[in-house]
Structures are given as C-alpha cells and as structure tokens.
C-alpha cells in the first residue's frame, strides 16, 4: 500500500499540469498593440509571439515566478520577473523606441547571464548602430580580446575564438565557429574553390590575386579571397537588418552542432518598422542600406525587406583593386493562435576584382565572386502537452555560384609540357610559352538542412525541468565545372614537378551528416542557494563517424551579489567536401628533353604518376572545453571573470607523402634523314625522389588556456559617464603534425659512398601568449540625444615562440631512401654532427606595451535622424622599432596604422 501511494505521488508530480498562465499585452509608446513581439521565458527558454492585438500567454508549470524578456524590432527590450500573484491578471507592457534620449543605452558588447552559455556576450541593435559597421567584421572586432582594426574591405576576414597561433590552427578554429542566422547555420562545407590540397597542401591550394596599391595600407602582397578550408568570410554578412547578436565563446548548448570553437547567433528583424536608410563612408569605401517592415492586412502577418550595398576601392587614384557586395532579403512572418511561420529569401553577391595595372608588364588580372541564393522556413506549433509544449521544424536550402580566376602573361619561350591525365611513360610536347595563361575554378555549392525539435516542461521532486530534444540533418554538394585548365597553357610550368590538370566537381558525392540531442534545463534550491543547469547530450554521425558530446552549463547563485559558474563540453566539426575530395595529383618527371631550339624537331619523354588521394576515412575534428567563472554585482560595480581550458584535437591538416621512383634511362638521337628524334631504353635505371603530394588527416592538436575579466560601472550622474574594462589572456601550445625537413648543401657520407641529402628533426613546437586590455568610457547625455565612446586598446603582451628539436631522427640519402635513426645512433658520428644549436629557436614578441585610442560619436537629431562618426587611432599613435630576434633575424615592429575615420547617417521615416 505504501508503495502504491509513493507511485501515485510520483506519477502526480510528473504529470501535474497546472493551468496557470501569465497573460500580457505588448504596446508601443503610444498605446498601440505590437504584433509579432517575441516573449521569452528566461528560466525555461520557452518563446511565444504576440498576436494581432499584441497579446500573449505563457503557461507556468510549478514555478514560483516567471522571468520574461520581450523584444521587438526597433524597441528597447523589456525584462521583468512576475510573482505568482501576477498570474491570471493581464499585464500591460510598454516598449520604448530605441533612442539616445532614453535614460540608459547599451553601445558596447556585454557579458550576459541570460544567454545560451555561461559566458555569452550580447550585442544589441543600439551597439551595432554605434559601431557603424560595414559588415559583421567590424562588429566582431569590438569583442573583448579582439583588437580594434581600421576598415579593410579588400582583405577577406574570418573569425577565431580563444587561442590563435596562425596557420592551419586558425583555419580549424574559424571553421569550427558556427554562424547561425535565424536558427539556420550558414554552411561553408560545399566550398571547393581550391586547386586541390593534394597538389601543394593547404597554404598553396587557392588561387591568389596579385599585389596592389592601397591608399591607406600601402603596397599589398598577393592575397587569396577563397575560404575552402576556413570559416565564413564575414565581409559577406551585412548588419543593417540584424536586431541582436549573441556570441558563444565557451560551451554551446547541445542543440547546436558543428561548434568546436563557438557560435555567433544572429536574430534578424521581423515586424512592423519604419523605413530605415543608412549611409557610411570611409575613404574609398562606402556602405548604404535600406530596410522596412510592413504589417499586412488581416491574417497575412508582417513582411520585412532589406537591401545593402558595399563598395571599396583600394586606391581611388588607379582603381585597380575593388570590392563589391550586394545583398537583399525578404522575411515573411505569419501567426495564428497556435502557429507561427517565417519564410526567408536571401540573395547576396560579392566580388573582389583586380584589373590590369597599366604599369604591370605581366598583364595580371584576377576576379573572385560569390553568388548565393538562400531559402529557409521556420514553422512552429503550440501543442501544449506536457512532454511536447511546442514543435518546431526548420528547413533551409542554398544555391551558389563561385568563381576564382587569375590570368598572367608569361614569356618563357620553348618549354616541355606534360598533358596526360593518366599514369605512365609517354611523349609530351614542346610548346611556345609566350602566352596568356589562366587559372579558373567554377563551383556551384549547394546545401540543405532540416531540423525538428520540441520541448516539454514538468516538475520532479519539486524541481522544474525543461527538456528540449530534436534531430537535424544536413547535406552539402557541389555541381560546378571545377578546375578548368588548358594543359597546353599551364599557369605554372613544371612547378615542383607538377602541372595542373582539369578536375570536375560535378560527380563528387554529397556529404551528409545527422545529429540528435536532448537537453534538460532545471533550477534546484540548495538551502538558500539557487543552482540552475543545462545538461545536454548530443550525438552526431559525420562522414560515417559517430561521436557522443556531453554539454554542461551550470550556474550557482550564492547570494544577490555572487554567482559562480562551471561548464564542460565536447563538440565536433565535420570534414568539408574540399577535405574529402581534393582531386588527383600528377607528378611529372622528365626523362628526355631534346630540342634544336624549335618545336620541330623536339622530343619530350616523361613519366607521370596520377595519384588519387583517398580521404574517405577522415573523422570529424573535436574539441574539449572546461570553463569556470564568477560574477559579482553591486550598486557601483559589476565584474565577471572566466577561466578556461580548451583542447582542439583531430583537427584537419595536410600531411606530405614522400614518393620515390625507379625509372628507365633512355638513349636518344636526332635522325638526320627524317629530322626527328628517336630513342630506345638504355637498360639502366635511375632512382629519383623528393616528390611530394598531400593528404588530409586528423593530425592537428592544440591546447589553449585563458582568462577573461570584465569590469563595468553604471553611469555616474555627475559626469554622465560609465566605465568598463575588458582584459583577455591566452596561452596556446601546439606541436606540428609533421617532422621538420632540412636540406643539406654539404655532403655527409654514410655507408661508404652514400651521403645525406635531407635531415629530419622532430616536429616544431609553437607557443603563443597574448594579453590585452580594452578600457571604454561611454558618456551619454539623454536630453541631448548624444553619446560619445572612447576606447583604449592596450596591447601588453604578444609573443610567439617556435622551438625546434636539435637532434636528428631520420634522413634521406642520395639514392632517395628514407632511414629512421635509432636512439643510440643519434649520438654517434656522423649523425651527432647534425645536431642543431639552440639559436634555431625563434621568438617573436612585442618589444613594448602599446595602445590605440579610438572614438565613436553619435548624435540624434529629432527622433528620426542620427549622425555618426567613428575614428580608429584618433591621436595617430604609431610606435616604431627595429627588433632583433633571438635567432639573429631582424624585424620591423610598426603595429598601428594612421587614423581611419568613418562618417555616417541614419534616417527613419
């Protein structure tokens, strides 16, 4: 009987579903209802939308209070905690227009305790407008730990978080940051704008533009504008229609996949709004945009459209290098009592062009373009069952066309050309290489995604649980013509014994990934302390490899002042199409090269090895991150500190494969009667090597340790100014995945007449240490509608060290044989003489503390016009020093550039 009573009690506590509601109505300043306002219950993350009368209803399940946040386009967010006594009574909520005349405005990124992660950073519309951002690049540069940088639209820009030391590590870091716009991840997995990493590894796999003159930055070297092995180029994302941004550098909830290094979650504007027109100018760069939200009649909901155009001319005097970006978007939102549907259509086109410089005898030109059309739909329905409060289905597709092109005039005279696309010994041709050569890659990336999710709320043992669960699927494909190459006019003739061959993307298999997750978010009172946690578990099947990923974010509210946080999470990132299907490598070795100085007669005999790289066994890259934090709030100061450890492992890196061949020798002669070359095998052989191709492996690993400290004060009435201080420290360590190879100019003999050609040492070890502080002051005078922000970027420590092993571990001899050295051999002659000195280590450090002072100024004229000005390096602080590295090399240290000023205006009507 007792057991039956207990079971009934448990059953009742599990399924009790009290019919208690928080009912409200959202108005604007003039008492007019606001349909399509978003109302979030911050304890459970349940979100509802207001109806045509601005009304909403939130169910309370065993809660002592309901803590909500209300958002609407162009309005100041409203946050309020309602006690049980407020349930069942209509609550009127008035949202104020965003204005500099409000008592409080937020113009800086801030740490938030109501985000998706413990250490989330929030950037709202007011801050975005104050930054006068030309693209998402400028917004991300305002984050703690990021250096403020002058505008540069002529250089691609990707994003990295928590631990950057350059090279492939930064590539992996950026591709592991998910850019999520309206609950849809923007995928770069179908990007194949590469010659193929198997030919020259990752660094030399993309087509590059020639150098150019920049009126601000000076002469620029060659640059790449394709990101097949990186994250999204942030220049492609305009910000004119963004309502708010949440940045996760720590542990993301389990519902987010592909987040080894964090996420940027973007919510765009939806709902009725006035016309908003803005224009910014900075030197040869301009950016203009327009946005408008219409409330449609009847039940047709709201329609929002936006358009943006960005243009930059690197040097207006010669107009050689230019950047163009067009983007348009339409968002249609409809609602009923239980259902909400949002359909989005987006179009974007970006071009990086370099025209022919009249002073360039090589007639170099290049163009890089990225055209994309995206369609997405978000549908949700309120089921109002305990285990299924609301079901949401998100579907998205994108179609693109990417082009990379470079041309170059060469005058190399008669050259032997390899043009066969299979393995074997054959006759090539001699051709006159005084031609215009071209490199051309055409890609058609296609992506699709589908996610289905739901959530339930119940009480268990006096603890309220909000459980979310779902499944997601993604597909990436590319149907482009691929690498278009004329073998008779190669761009690089015989470089590294390789010539480029055509490679089509049209028959490449699609990459498909699937994931499932479950989260439990709950609050538990431990005495007078409140513990809130989000416990999640995710499973992803990526490239046939399954990975379980636990995610935990916990927060212990000790008292009204102190809160302590802890988080742990594992995340994965799937390999992209460019990783999996890099295309073949062709190694060409000359056996006979004979000519009389003309094409006829001539003879070119060569050996070609077509190497088809199999990367099908690639596993997803992974990360493990642990984060601890503490926050303190009182009347005069707020402080947050987070310490973290992050290990990135199984990262993507290209490893070289050594090739050795034994080939026949030939005798050849010119037949004077036929005036043709003839040849026969001599019966001898030749051992050749030193040829390399590359394959992608999971061989990259790095460890990062860091501390982030945020300190802020409220506005001090006497001086109308608030202060904030952001300090970031990072230490990163990694060991290269490949041994170091050093060629020997001298001959060191081993085993009689054999000598050493190449010596191998253990992989390079690299460390990076970084410490910087951002000091901000914000002076806000509400009655004048005026805000001025001064920021000081103080770069205290920036050091990188590369330590080489001093003891040889292997060598290649003159017969191209690879020999590993046993431990006892390394200390004996002649190998002991190959030991390197400690001066082979290389350390680069900032020789002194330096800073930049920047300013942002914004003035509101009436209610509808804003005038902005933003200045980088306001006082032209440009330290200069010539430093000598510990390995004897000299380096010029000149970190700052001259002042850069952006002027803009925004008009609402």
């Amino acid at each position: 009987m007792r057991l039956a009573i207990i079971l009934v009690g448990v059953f009742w506590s599990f399924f009790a579903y009290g019919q208690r509601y928080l009912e409200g109505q959202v108005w604007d300043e003039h008492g007019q209802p606001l349909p399509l306002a978003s109302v979030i219950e911050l304890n459970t993350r349940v979100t509802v939308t207001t109806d045509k009368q601005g009304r909403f209803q939130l169910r309370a399940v065993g809660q002592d209070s309901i803590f909500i946040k209300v958002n609407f386009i162009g309005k100041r967010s409203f946050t309020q905690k309602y006690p049980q006594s407020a349930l069942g009574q209509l609550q009127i909520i008035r949202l104020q227009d965003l204005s500099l005349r409000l008592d409080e405005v937020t113009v800086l990124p801030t740490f938030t305790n109501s985000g998706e992660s413990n250490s989330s950073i929030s950037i709202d519309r007011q801050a975005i407008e104050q930054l006068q951002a030309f693209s998402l690049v400028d917004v991300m540069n305002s984050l703690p730990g990021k250096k403020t940088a002058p505008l540069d639209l002529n250089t691609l820009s990707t994003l990295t978080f928590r631990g950057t030391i350059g090279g492939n590590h930064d590539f992996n870091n950026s591709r592991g940051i998910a850019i999520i716009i309206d609950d849809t991840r923007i995928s770069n997995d179908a990007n194949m704008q590469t010659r193929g990493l198997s030919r020259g590894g990752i660094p030399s796999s993309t087509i590059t533009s020639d150098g150019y003159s920049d009126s601000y930055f000076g002469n620029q070297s060659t640059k790449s504008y394709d990101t097949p092995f990186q994250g999204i180029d942030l220049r492609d994302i305009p910000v004119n229609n963004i309502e708010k941004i949440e940045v996760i550098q720590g542990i993301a909830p389990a519902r987010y996949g592909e987040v080894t290094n964090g996420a940027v979650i973007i919510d765009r504007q939806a709902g009725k709004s006035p016309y908003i027109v803005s224009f910014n100018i900075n030197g040869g760069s301009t950016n203009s945009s327009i946005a408008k939200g219409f409330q449609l009649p009847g039940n047709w909901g709201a329609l929002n459209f936006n358009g943006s155009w960005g243009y930059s001319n690197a040097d207006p005097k010669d107009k050689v290098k230019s950047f163009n970006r067009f983007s348009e978007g339409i968002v249609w939102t409809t609602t009923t009592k239980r259902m909400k549907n949002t359909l989005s259509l987006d179009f974007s086109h970006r071009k990086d062009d370099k025209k022919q410089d009249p002073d360039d005898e090589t007639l170099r030109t290049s163009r890089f373009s990225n055209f994309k059309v995206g369609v997405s739909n978000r549908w949700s329905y309120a089921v109002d069952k305990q285990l299924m409060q609301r079901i949401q289905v998100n579907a998205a597709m994108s179609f693109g066309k990417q082009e990379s092109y470079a041309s170059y005039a060469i005058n190399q005279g008669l050259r032997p050309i390899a043009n066969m696309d299979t393995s074997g010994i054959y006759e090539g041709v001699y051709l006159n290489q005084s031609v215009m050569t071209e490199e051309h890659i055409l890609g058609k990336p296609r992506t699709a995604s589908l996610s289905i999710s739901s959530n339930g709320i119940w009480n268990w043992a006096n603890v309220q649980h909000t459980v979310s669960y779902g499944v997601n699927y993604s597909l990436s494909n590319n149907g482009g013509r691929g690498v278009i190459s004329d073998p008779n006019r190669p761009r690089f003739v015989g470089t590294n014994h390789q010539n480029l061959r055509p490679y089509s993307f049209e028959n490449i298999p699609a990459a498909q990934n699937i994931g499932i997750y479950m989260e439990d978010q709950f609050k538990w009172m431990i005495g007078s302390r409140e513990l809130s946690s989000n416990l999640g578990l995710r499973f992803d099947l990526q490239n046939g490899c399954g990975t379980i990923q636990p995610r935990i974010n916990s927060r212990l509210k000790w008292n009204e002042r102190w809160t302590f946080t802890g988080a742990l999470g594992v995340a994965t990132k799937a390999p992209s199409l460019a990783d999996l299907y890099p295309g073949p490598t062709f190694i060409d070795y000359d056996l006979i090269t004979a000519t009389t100085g003309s094409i006829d007669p001539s003879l070119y005999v060569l050996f070609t090895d077509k190497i088809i790289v199999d990367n099908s066994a690639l596993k997803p890259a992974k990360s493990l991150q642990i984060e601890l934090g503490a926050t303190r709030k009182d009347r005069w100061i707020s402080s947050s500190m987070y310490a973290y450890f992050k290990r990135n492992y199984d990262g993507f890196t290209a490893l070289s494969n050594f090739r050795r061949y034994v080939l026949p020798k030939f005798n050849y002669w010119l037949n004077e009667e036929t005036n043709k070359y003839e040849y026969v095998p001599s019966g001898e052989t030749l051992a050749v090597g030193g040829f390399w191709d590359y394959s992608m492996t999971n061989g990259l690993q790095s460890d990062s340790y860091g501390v982030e400290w945020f300190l802020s004060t409220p506005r001090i009435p006497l001086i109308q100014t608030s202060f904030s201080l952001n300090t970031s420290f990072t230490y990163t360590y990694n060991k290269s995945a490949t041994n170091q190879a050093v060629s020997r100019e001298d001959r060191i003999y081993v085993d009689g007449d054999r000598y050493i050609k190449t010596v191998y040492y253990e992989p390079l070890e690299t460390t990076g240490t970084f410490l910087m502080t951002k000091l901000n002051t914000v002076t806000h005078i509400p009655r004048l509608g005026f805000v001025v922000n001064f920021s000081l970027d103080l770069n205290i420590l920036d050091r990188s060290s590369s330590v080489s092993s001093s003891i040889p571990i292997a060598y290649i001899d003159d017969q191209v044989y690879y020999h590993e050295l046993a431990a006892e051999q390394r200390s004996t002659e002649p190998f002991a003489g190959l030991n390197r000195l400690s001066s082979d280590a290389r350390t680069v450090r900032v020789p002194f503390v330096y800073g930049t002072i920047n300013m942002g100024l914004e003035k509101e004229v009436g209610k509808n016009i804003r005038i902005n000005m933003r200045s980088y390096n306001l006082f032209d602080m440009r330290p200069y020093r010539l430093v000598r590295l510990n390995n004897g090399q000299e380096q010029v240290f000149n970190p700052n550039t001259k002042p850069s000023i952006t002027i803009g205006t925004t008009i609402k009507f």
Side-chain angles (χ1 to χ4, degrees):
M1 183 66 180
R2 180 179 297 177
L3 178 62
I5 294 174
I6 293 174
L7 289 176
V8 169
V10 170
F11 183 86
W12 178 257
S13 68
F14 189 85
F15 287 102
Y17 202 50
Q19 301 297 314
R20 297 181 301 158
Y21 297 92
L22 174 69
E23 298 180 75
Q25 189 171 25
V26 182
W27 292 351
D28 64 12
E29 293 178 329
H30 308 292
Q32 297 298 313
L34 291 175
L36 298 178
S38 175
V39 184
I40 307 171
E41 211 292 310
L42 295 176
N43 291 323
T44 63
R45 310 301 297 180
V46 172
T47 303
V48 297
T49 304
T50 58
D51 61 17
K52 290 187 296 183
Q53 285 74 43
R55 299 176 72 101
F56 69 91
Q57 192 177 73
L58 271 172
R59 188 187 301 273
V61 183
Q63 297 171 249
D64 293 332
S65 61
I66 291 186
F67 190 22
I68 69 168
K69 184 175 184 179
V70 184
N71 297 313
F72 190 81
I73 177 174
K75 306 294 183 183
R76 181 182 179 183
S77 296
F78 173 87
T79 303
Q80 180 68 46
K81 181 177 287 188
Y82 291 95
Q84 283 187 345
S85 58
L87 301 182
Q89 304 175 20
L90 183 66
Q91 306 296 325
I92 302 299
I93 299 171
R94 295 179 183 268
L95 298 186
Q96 297 175 296
D97 292 339
L98 283 178
S99 170
L100 298 182
R101 298 183 186 276
L102 295 175
D103 288 338
E104 294 183 9
V105 297
T106 302
V107 297
L108 298 173
T110 57
F111 284 97
T112 175
N113 58 7
S114 60
E116 300 279 8
S117 174
N118 286 344
S119 56
S120 288
I121 298 173
S122 176
I123 307 173
D124 65 13
R125 184 65 208 170
Q126 196 86 274
I128 294 172
E129 290 183 356
Q130 213 270 345
L131 288 168
Q132 293 179 265
F134 280 62
S135 68
L136 193 59
V137 177
D138 306 310
V139 180
M140 294 297 100
N141 282 341
S142 69
L143 291 172
K146 296 291 184 183
K147 295 180 180 179
T148 305
L151 179 69
D152 184 9
L153 291 176
N154 289 287
T155 302
L156 74 81
S157 180
T158 57
L159 184 62
T160 56
F161 287 152
R162 288 186 171 178
T164 59
I165 49 178
N168 288 346
H169 291 275
D170 283 6
F171 284 10
N172 276 264
N173 190 310
S174 68
R175 72 159 79 185
I177 298 173
I179 308 295
I180 301 168
I181 300 179
D182 293 341
D183 289 337
T184 298
R185 184 178 74 90
I186 308 303
S187 174
N188 197 40
D189 293 340
N191 186 340
M192 294 195 67
Q193 295 304 109
T194 166
R195 303 183 183 111
L197 67 90
S198 58
R199 182 173 180 264
I202 292 176
S204 60
S205 66
T206 55
I207 294 177
T208 57
S209 169
D210 188 30
Y212 59 90
S213 171
D214 189 295
S215 59
Y216 180 83
F217 294 99
N219 292 330
Q220 300 294 291
S221 59
T222 59
K223 292 185 179 182
S224 174
Y225 294 95
D226 294 318
T227 61
F229 304 107
Q230 304 181 59
I232 300 293
D233 186 351
L234 300 184
R235 299 179 304 157
D236 290 343
I237 303 177
V239 298
N240 64 300
N241 64 331
I242 293 177
E243 187 65 19
K244 66 172 182 175
I245 300 172
E246 181 176 343
V247 177
I248 299 176
Q249 300 185 90
I251 291 85
R255 63 179 167 277
Y256 295 117
E258 310 271 324
V259 288
T260 50
N261 292 288
V264 178
I265 303 170
I266 297 172
D267 290 336
R268 295 188 296 182
Q269 297 170 339
K272 183 180 179 181
S273 68
Y275 282 98
I276 303 174
V277 179
S278 64
F279 179 79
N280 293 326
I281 184 170
N282 181 312
S285 302
T286 58
N287 187 73
S288 56
S289 65
I290 183 172
K292 168 65 178 171
F294 298 92
Q295 184 66 43
L296 302 178
N299 295 322
W300 287 94
L303 187 70
N304 291 76
F305 82 89
N306 66 87
S308 174
W309 175 59
Y311 173 78
S312 179
N313 194 324
D315 191 341
K317 292 182 295 184
D318 58 28
K319 299 182 179 180
V320 170
K321 172 64 181 72
S322 64
F323 164 88
N324 270 283
R325 183 198 64 223
F326 299 90
S327 64
E328 291 80 31
I330 298 175
V331 179
W332 179 29
T333 307
T334 57
T335 61
T336 64
K337 183 176 181 180
R338 289 182 175 269
M339 185 270 294
K340 178 181 179 181
N341 193 80
T342 302
L343 175 66
S344 302
L345 176 63
D346 294 284
F347 161 84
S348 64
H349 189 200
R350 183 254 302 162
K351 292 178 64 178
D352 284 281
D353 285 349
K354 181 186 177 296
K355 300 177 182 178
Q356 181 180 318
D357 189 335
D359 299 325
D360 183 7
E361 295 181 354
T362 62
L363 310 179
R364 299 185 186 187
T365 63
S366 64
R367 64 176 182 270
F368 302 84
S369 66
N370 186 1
F371 171 87
K372 182 179 178 181
V373 175
V375 181
S376 65
N377 192 81
R378 291 181 293 163
W379 175 86
S380 64
Y381 183 81
V383 182
D384 275 349
K385 301 296 182 183
Q386 185 164 358
L387 300 181
M388 186 178 286
Q389 288 274 298
R390 195 172 192 92
I391 186 171
Q392 181 165 319
V393 180
N394 296 347
M397 295 184 296
S398 70
F399 309 88
K401 180 179 180 181
Q402 296 174 317
E403 181 180 22
S404 307
Y405 174 87
S407 63
Y408 181 72
I410 61 174
N411 185 15
Q412 298 179 345
L414 204 60
R415 294 296 300 271
I417 302 298
N419 53 18
M420 191 173 178
D421 64 354
T422 58
S423 298
I425 296 175
Y426 64 101
E427 293 185 16
V429 295
Y430 267 90
L431 293 175
N432 190 336
Q433 290 302 295
S434 297
V435 295
M436 180 67 75
T437 62
E438 295 180 340
E439 287 189 283
H440 200 185
I441 304 176
L442 282 176
K444 290 185 177 180
R446 305 162 184 168
T447 64
S449 64
L450 175 67
S451 67
I452 303 173
S453 60
S454 186
N455 66 292
I457 302 176
W458 67 79
N459 288 330
W460 176 269
N462 295 323
V463 177
Q464 177 181 280
H465 297 261
T466 301
V467 175
S468 304
Y469 48 91
V471 58
N472 61 271
Y473 167 82
S474 66
L475 178 144
S476 303
N477 201 356
N478 196 310
R481 291 177 59 191
V483 178
I484 303 170
S485 175
D486 182 353
N488 292 329
R489 293 190 301 152
R491 168 69 174 84
F492 300 100
V493 182
T495 302
N496 195 27
H497 293 279
Q498 297 181 24
N499 287 321
L500 195 63
R501 305 318 203 259
Y503 174 54
S504 174
F505 302 156
E506 295 172 339
N507 298 317
I508 289 176
Q512 302 182 66
N513 304 307
I514 189 168
I516 58 174
Y517 73 89
M518 179 173 284
E519 295 177 355
D520 181 10
Q521 183 169 318
F522 62 88
K523 287 190 176 182
W524 182 28
M525 296 303 298
I526 306 174
S528 61
R529 326 294 188 198
E530 181 184 82
L531 174 67
S532 58
S533 292
N534 185 326
L535 308 182
L537 189 66
R538 182 178 182 87
F539 176 82
D540 277 307
L541 187 64
Q542 300 161 310
N543 196 36
C545 182
T547 310
I548 297 176
Q549 306 158 54
R551 313 265 184 91
I552 302 171
N553 276 279
S554 293
R555 181 183 299 271
L556 177 63
K557 186 176 180 181
W558 194 258
N559 53 38
E560 291 302 318
R561 292 186 175 183
W562 284 99
T563 300
F564 302 96
T565 64
L568 180 147
V570 174
T572 63
K573 173 68 187 76
S576 68
L577 291 179
D579 300 323
L580 295 169
Y581 309 107
T585 295
F586 295 84
I587 293 179
D588 304 313
Y589 187 80
D590 300 347
L591 299 175
I592 301 175
T593 54
T595 177
T596 58
S598 60
I599 294 177
D600 191 17
S602 64
L603 176 63
Y604 178 40
V605 178
L606 72 153
F607 164 77
T608 292
D609 186 14
K610 180 180 181 180
I611 303 168
I612 300 177
V613 179
D614 182 10
N615 292 338
S616 60
L618 271 179
K619 300 180 293 184
K622 304 175 185 69
S623 70
L624 166 66
Q625 190 167 184
I626 301 171
E627 180 187 88
L628 298 174
T631 63
R632 176 182 168 84
K633 291 185 177 181
D634 57 29
R635 180 181 178 185
W636 295 108
I637 198 164
S638 297
S639 178
S640 300
M641 179 175 287
Y642 300 96
Y644 63 87
F645 164 75
K646 182 173 70 171
R647 168 165 291 176
N648 290 96
Y649 59 104
D650 285 345
F652 305 118
T653 187
L655 292 185
S656 57
N657 305 305
F658 179 76
R659 302 287 175 176
R660 179 183 186 272
Y661 305 101
V662 178
L663 301 175
K665 289 185 177 182
F666 293 91
N667 295 326
Y668 64 93
W669 62 94
L670 178 63
N671 188 322
E672 296 182 357
E673 293 182 1
T674 61
N675 198 34
K676 299 291 184 182
Y677 280 99
E678 298 176 358
Y679 62 99
V680 294
S682 68
E684 299 178 354
T685 59
L686 173 68
V688 295
F691 311 113
W692 304 94
D693 63 277
Y694 295 82
S695 58
M696 190 68 87
T697 66
N698 295 104
L700 207 64
Q701 178 172 316
S702 65
D703 291 341
S704 298
Y705 306 82
V707 177
E708 297 165 346
W709 181 38
F710 174 74
L711 194 68
S712 66
T713 71
R715 192 178 67 194
I716 301 172
L718 184 63
I719 56 176
Q720 299 289 304
T721 301
S722 61
F723 299 87
S724 67
L725 183 72
N726 299 318
T727 300
S728 300
F729 170 80
T730 303
Y731 172 82
T732 303
Y733 165 84
N734 89 281
K735 189 173 184 178
S736 174
T738 58
N739 295 329
Q740 279 192 292
V742 178
S743 298
R744 299 292 302 190
E745 298 296 334
D746 56 342
R747 291 192 177 187
I748 298 179
Y749 286 91
V750 292
D751 295 334
D753 59 349
R754 289 189 177 182
Y755 59 89
I756 296 174
K757 292 190 67 175
T758 304
V759 185
Y760 288 90
Y761 298 87
E762 287 187 352
L764 190 71
E765 296 184 28
T766 303
T767 61
T769 309
F770 176 77
L771 174 63
M772 78 165 293
T773 289
K774 282 191 174 186
L775 173 64
N776 284 279
T777 69
V778 178
T779 301
H780 174 215
I781 307 176
R783 64 185 182 85
L784 298 180
F786 175 82
V787 171
V788 60
N789 161 227
F790 287 96
S791 66
L792 168 64
D793 284 12
L794 200 59
N795 299 273
I796 302 170
L797 179 63
D798 192 351
R799 169 178 171 168
S800 63
S801 298
S802 300
V803 181
S804 306
S805 171
S806 61
I807 301 175
I809 60 172
Y811 70 93
I812 293 177
D813 65 20
D814 59 311
Q815 294 297 310
V816 204
Y817 283 105
Y818 181 86
H819 304 269
E820 288 192 9
L821 295 175
E824 60 271 13
Q825 288 180 282
R826 301 173 187 178
S827 59
T828 62
E829 295 297 336
F831 308 112
L834 299 176
N835 288 354
R836 298 191 293 183
L837 302 176
S838 60
S839 60
D840 291 320
R842 181 175 185 268
T843 300
V844 180
R845 71 183 72 190
V846 173
F848 48 78
V849 176
Y850 71 95
T852 57
I853 296 177
N854 316 293
M855 183 192 72
L857 183 149
E858 192 170 14
K859 176 68 173 74
E860 197 169 72
V861 182
K863 289 187 175 181
N864 299 323
I865 299 176
R866 287 193 186 186
I867 300 172
N868 309 73
M869 185 183 78
R870 192 160 192 86
S871 174
Y872 162 80
N873 197 10
L874 179 65
F875 299 111
D876 198 12
M877 301 165 61
R878 285 189 275 176
Y880 178 93
R881 183 176 294 181
L882 183 66
V883 296
R884 183 180 296 274
L885 306 181
N886 62 335
N887 63 355
Q889 297 180 2
E890 290 186 342
Q891 187 177 70
V892 173
F893 181 75
N894 185 20
N896 294 345
T897 56
K898 61 185 179 182
S900 174
I901 298 176
T902 299
I903 299 174
T905 185
T906 300
I907 302 174
K908 300 179 182 180
F909 59 92

